[in-house]
Amino acid sequence: MIGCVTPITAMSFGIANAPVQRPAIAFFAAIWPCAAMGLHWIGRRVLRRIRP
């Protein structure tokens, strides 16, 4: 979540060394948690199928 939340939060508070607001940064911030949720979902499905 740090890769998603930190740049957006820094921009919204107007921090001087925050990244410049660009559509690419907003797109990355939206895709980052979606990718994490997808990997989590896949991992759960794989681990459920493993039998001891």
Side-chain angles (χ1 to χ4, degrees):
M1 288 307 290
I2 291 172
C4 170
V5 174
T6 303
I8 301 302
T9 304
M11 284 185 269
S12 67
F13 283 115
I15 296 174
N17 60 351
V20 179
Q21 290 182 343
R22 290 182 294 183
I25 292 175
F27 178 74
F28 176 77
I31 293 300
W32 188 260
C34 293
M37 287 186 288
L39 288 172
H40 178 74
W41 179 75
I42 290 169
R44 285 179 55 110
R45 290 185 56 93
V46 167
L47 289 174
R48 274 191 221 145
R49 293 181 184 182
I50 297 174
R51 300 285 180 210

